[in-house]
Amino acid sequence: MDEFVLQTRSPYGNVKVCVIRKDIKNVHLRVYRDLTVKLSVPLAVKDDWVEYFLSSRKDWIVEKLEVYRSTDGHNNLPELRSGSSTQMLGKDMRIIKVKADRNAVEQDEKKIFVYMKDDKDEDSLSKLFGAWWRQQALNVYSAQVDLLFNSIFKKYGICKPGIVIKKMKTLWGSCTRHLNKITLNEYLLKADVLCIQYVILHEMTHLLYPNHSANFYNFLTVHMPDWKERKKQLDTEVVQGL
């Protein structure tokens, strides 16, 4: 594994690129949401070609990094600025503040519109957006809990767990087995639905297996063979202060 430094005019400075040589035929360049850049190349590729290729892709790399830097999520913003971004269900969503005769939040495919009678009232704005976000999280999580419970857990004779939505600093979710409830991080809503399914399945599996035993992981693998890939995507691509 080698590291190349790409000279840029970005205000954030130069970019470090991790170059990984593998037994592959094609070149793969990826920019991750944690602001790491990785280039996978065939074993025989020389350093001068790598430098040429990275130089040719420099503008694209910088553009992706700047998008990810700006998409820091509403929980990390000091205020909800019009034009700022957050992630929602794996998509970058632009937040648009609109002065209106009502207080409401609506969304389309690419934008979240925050309507406020007083668009300068940052405290009310934050509370309005936070309440809306938590309701969206509850809607999405509830639907996935229902899906997984009916398709997997119902036959084991357990009750469907209750859901608690909470801000969590170090966890995506947790299970309180004796109360038959799972707690899910409200910022998990940023993730793709496949990642959300993984977290929910993980926590619901604790209703059957309280510890991370071999049986726990066997159950997880049987019902979600790609759970490791989903976990990796969640840990590397979702912008989250965890």
Side-chain angles (χ1 to χ4, degrees):
M1 185 182 301
D2 299 316
E3 185 176 272
F4 284 73
V5 178
L6 194 58
Q7 305 288 329
T8 78
R9 295 182 179 180
S10 167
Y12 299 103
N14 298 329
V15 176
K16 293 181 180 180
V17 182
C18 178
V19 178
I20 306 167
R21 288 179 167 81
K22 297 181 176 180
D23 186 14
I24 55 177
K25 294 182 178 180
N26 299 314
V27 172
H28 303 285
L29 176 63
R30 295 182 176 89
V31 179
Y32 294 94
R33 291 187 178 277
D34 64 357
L35 306 182
T36 58
V37 183
K38 295 183 180 180
L39 174 65
S40 298
V41 298
L43 294 171
V45 169
K46 304 296 184 182
D47 285 355
D48 55 353
W49 187 91
V50 170
E51 291 178 357
Y52 168 78
F53 177 78
L54 289 175
S55 179
S56 70
R57 300 291 285 163
K58 178 169 62 176
D59 291 345
W60 178 83
I61 293 171
V62 170
E63 180 182 351
K64 292 290 288 184
L65 287 171
E66 290 182 349
V67 167
Y68 289 157
R69 284 189 180 99
S70 68
T71 312
D72 53 2
H74 83 270
N75 54 311
N76 297 324
L77 294 174
E79 61 179 358
L80 289 170
R81 304 183 305 271
S82 189
S84 61
S85 298
T86 189
Q87 285 174 267
M88 187 174 186
L89 295 177
K91 297 180 180 179
D92 292 334
M93 302 289 287
R94 189 70 63 183
I95 298 171
I96 306 297
K97 288 166 56 175
V98 182
K99 187 173 177 59
D101 58 0
R102 63 193 175 107
N103 293 344
V105 182
E106 298 176 356
Q107 72 175 98
D108 61 18
E109 287 296 314
K110 297 182 178 180
K111 298 182 180 69
I112 300 173
F113 298 92
V114 184
Y115 299 96
M116 289 287 295
K117 294 179 181 178
D118 181 1
D119 59 352
K120 305 298 184 185
D121 186 348
E122 298 297 340
D123 185 56
S124 295
L125 178 67
S126 180
K127 289 179 180 178
L128 175 68
F129 188 86
W132 175 83
W133 182 274
R134 285 186 290 276
Q135 184 59 54
Q136 305 315 301
L138 180 60
N139 293 345
V140 171
Y141 302 166
S142 296
Q144 295 306 317
V145 166
D146 287 348
L147 177 65
L148 291 170
F149 178 78
N150 290 327
S151 62
I152 299 174
F153 293 92
K154 190 175 183 178
K155 62 187 175 184
Y156 290 93
I158 63 176
C159 296
K160 184 172 70 174
I163 303 172
V164 176
I165 309 295
K166 188 178 178 181
K167 292 181 182 179
M168 304 170 77
K169 291 185 177 181
T170 60
L171 297 171
W172 290 115
S174 65
C175 175
T176 309
R177 192 168 181 241
H178 70 282
L179 295 179
N180 195 46
K181 74 174 184 180
I182 60 173
T183 300
L184 298 169
N185 195 323
E186 67 177 65
Y187 302 138
L188 182 61
L189 186 62
K190 294 178 180 181
D192 182 273
V193 70
L194 294 179
C195 297
I196 295 173
Q197 288 173 351
Y198 155 69
V199 173
I200 292 175
L201 178 62
H202 182 115
E203 301 310 332
M204 291 179 70
T205 300
H206 279 308
L207 297 173
L208 298 174
Y209 304 101
N211 300 315
H212 291 123
S213 62
N215 287 334
F216 173 91
Y217 285 112
N218 288 339
F219 186 91
L220 205 60
T221 301
V222 166
H223 294 288
M224 189 176 286
D226 64 341
W227 70 266
K228 290 182 180 179
E229 288 76 15
R230 299 192 195 200
K231 181 180 186 301
K232 182 178 180 180
Q233 180 182 351
L234 181 65
D235 291 341
T236 59
E237 296 188 11
V238 178
V239 177
Q240 170 59 282
L242 294 182

